[in-house]
Amino acid sequence: MAFGAEELRVLRRALALALHPSPVSAEDVQDCLRLAESLDEAAREGARLRAFLLADLVRYRAALPGTAAGYFALLEEVLASGYRPEPDDLAALRALRGNPVAAVLLERCRVLAEQDVRARLAGRAVASVPASRTRLLALPGGRAAEEPDRRPAPGEQPRPPRPDRPVPTPGEVFPPRRKPGPPPADPPHQLAAG
């Protein structure tokens, strides 16, 4: 992701405010919110592009071996974006390992798959999707100023939120079933005189 000169100015100002809180002008707050919205949009666009590339990868993989060149290029692109190879990718590359590009990609995918397995066994989940960014609420005068502070004071135990009414009983959530009544009787057929 690349930033323009104006975006970098806003980012520098936001970082300076985060490190050294001071009164903030409404214009600075609006600039920071616009930058946050732009970053959110860029993240959404990146997710859409990634979903499109992964769907293309599945289509190319299904059409192998005729689409090998396109499949290799797409696989390299999605691997560079953080994609972790699936068992179907490994099977497709094994079937094409006579191709030198497939052999290189197979080795790269095996290494990534082994890293994933080791990470899962070690109890660490390897995220293939970047964590979502939280909203920028820390600026003085920003949106956090509009919301009441919900953090407990130092040394105070946080209390669980108390519902306005007690927890419903299973009988309230799942009312008893009514037994079906007898089926309605068919109306008597009238014969037309004619």
Side-chain angles (χ1 to χ4, degrees):
M1 185 179 298
F3 290 103
E6 182 63 22
E7 292 167 326
L8 282 175
R9 183 194 66 77
V10 172
L11 188 58
R12 264 192 233 112
R13 178 74 178 131
L15 290 173
L17 288 170
L19 293 173
H20 306 288
S22 63
V24 180
S25 70
E27 182 182 343
D28 284 342
V29 171
Q30 289 302 317
D31 287 344
C32 289
L33 290 175
R34 275 193 296 273
L35 179 62
E37 288 169 4
S38 296
L39 289 173
D40 287 341
E41 178 58 31
R44 284 191 296 272
E45 185 61 32
R48 282 192 292 267
L49 176 62
R50 182 185 169 114
F52 175 77
L53 287 174
L54 292 179
D56 253 4
L57 183 69
V58 170
R59 281 193 291 274
Y60 274 77
R61 186 173 56 222
L64 286 172
T67 58
Y71 175 72
F72 297 152
L74 275 172
L75 184 59
E76 285 178 350
E77 188 173 351
V78 295
L79 286 174
S81 72
Y83 171 76
R84 294 304 199 187
E86 297 176 355
D88 290 342
D89 294 313
L90 294 170
L93 290 171
R94 274 189 213 101
L96 299 168
R97 74 176 133 212
N99 182 315
V101 176
V104 170
L105 278 171
L106 177 60
E107 188 56 34
R108 182 174 171 195
C109 288
R110 271 191 196 147
V111 169
L112 291 172
E114 287 174 12
Q115 288 173 354
D116 284 350
V117 169
R118 286 191 182 117
R120 271 185 289 213
L121 291 175
R124 295 175 297 152
V126 175
S128 61
V129 178
S132 65
R133 189 180 61 77
T134 57
R135 298 292 297 161
L136 182 61
L137 301 177
L139 290 177
R143 288 188 184 168
E146 300 167 7
E147 299 175 4
D149 190 11
R150 293 189 179 99
R151 290 178 289 168
E156 180 184 332
Q157 291 294 329
R159 294 184 315 198
R162 186 173 177 270
D164 293 343
R165 61 184 222 110
V167 177
T169 64
E172 291 174 330
V173 175
F174 305 105
R177 289 188 172 178
R178 306 235 185 266
K179 292 184 179 178
D186 289 333
H189 295 290
Q190 295 180 353
L191 298 173

